[in-house]
Amino acid sequence: CNSMYCDTILGQSETQKTDAELVTRLRKVIADQAPRAELAVMTLGARGSCLIRMAQDLQSGDDLVILTDGDSETTPTVTKRHGAIWCPVWRGCNIIDTTGAGDAFQGGFISAIWAYVASKGGTKVIKSTHLPMNDRVLAHSLRIGTRVATRKIEAPGARCGLPYIGDDIFLQSEFNALLEL
């Protein structure tokens, strides 16, 4: 979902919220509307996205960097804080049209999750009650979703700009890193 959806469901105005408040709001909405969900992702527009595991509490774990690319100035560094995994936006992108950005993000994120699951046994894994995903798997998946959304907003319309994996060196390397986990 996105942060505006949480505001609507909870009957709150759209005001700047702290990271901890965003996580609390997302947990409440998901607990009410999808009580069996294990994961939830919230897109935050210019702030990026966050992912929560419903089984973990708000304060689980210290703040830490999960995934970084060292010297890259534009690649998002994925962190964990307030019991959520956070992926900021790609810096330096030329925003043309945000139509379809959330859908592009979700498509990239879900494609990454499915690629990982398929690489680990496909239907055998899916039939289990819990998918074997650690924070690094989720961090790579968030970055892939963020990259797909970034490429989409750099072109007009809902479909122009959507990348092909063969046309984007970052997506290629990120998928390769994900599948090696």
Side-chain angles (χ1 to χ4, degrees), residues 5 13 15-16 24 30 38 42 56 60 71 79 86 91 95 100 107 111 125 133-134 137 149 155 162:
Y5 179 78
S13 64
T15 59
Q16 188 72 339
T24 300
I30 298 304
E38 294 181 25
M42 179 168 35
Q56 292 180 350
S60 66
D71 296 335
T79 58
W86 299 82
R91 293 176 296 280
I95 300 172
S111 294
V125 174
M133 287 183 230
N134 62 39
V137 169
L162 290 174

Side-chain angles (χ1 to χ4, degrees), residues 11-28:
Q12 298 175 348
S13 64
E14 189 176 339
T15 59
Q16 188 72 339
K17 310 259 185 322
T18 67
D19 290 349
E21 290 171 327
L22 288 169
V23 170
T24 300
R25 290 171 49 237
L26 178 58
R27 283 185 181 285
K28 182 173 180 167

Side-chain angles (χ1 to χ4, degrees), residues 6 22-23 25 31 43 47 49 78 80 101 110 112 125 136 143 145 154 159 163 168 177 179:
C6 286
L22 288 169
V23 170
R25 290 171 49 237
T43 56
R47 289 179 69 183
S49 60
V78 182
K80 186 170 187 179
I110 291 168
V125 174
R136 288 186 58 80
R143 278 212 318 204
E154 293 181 322
R159 295 181 68 191
D168 191 300
L179 299 179

Side-chain angles (χ1 to χ4, degrees), residues 82-152:
H82 305 294
I85 300 173
W86 299 82
C87 183
V89 298
W90 281 73
R91 293 176 296 280
C93 94
N94 181 24
I95 300 172
I96 304 292
D97 184 357
T98 60
T99 302
D103 294 332
F105 171 87
Q106 294 295 342
F109 177 79
I110 291 168
S111 294
I113 295 292
W114 279 111
Y116 177 78
V117 168
S119 76
K120 301 302 177 207
T123 57
K124 294 176 193 170
V125 174
I126 294 168
K127 289 179 182 177
S128 73
T129 56
H130 298 287
L131 297 177
M133 287 183 230
N134 62 39
D135 287 349
R136 288 186 58 80
V137 169
L138 298 171
H140 280 289
S141 299
L142 284 172
R143 278 212 318 204
I144 289 167
T146 300
R147 179 62 174 187
V148 172
T150 298
R151 292 287 306 275
K152 190 265 124 300

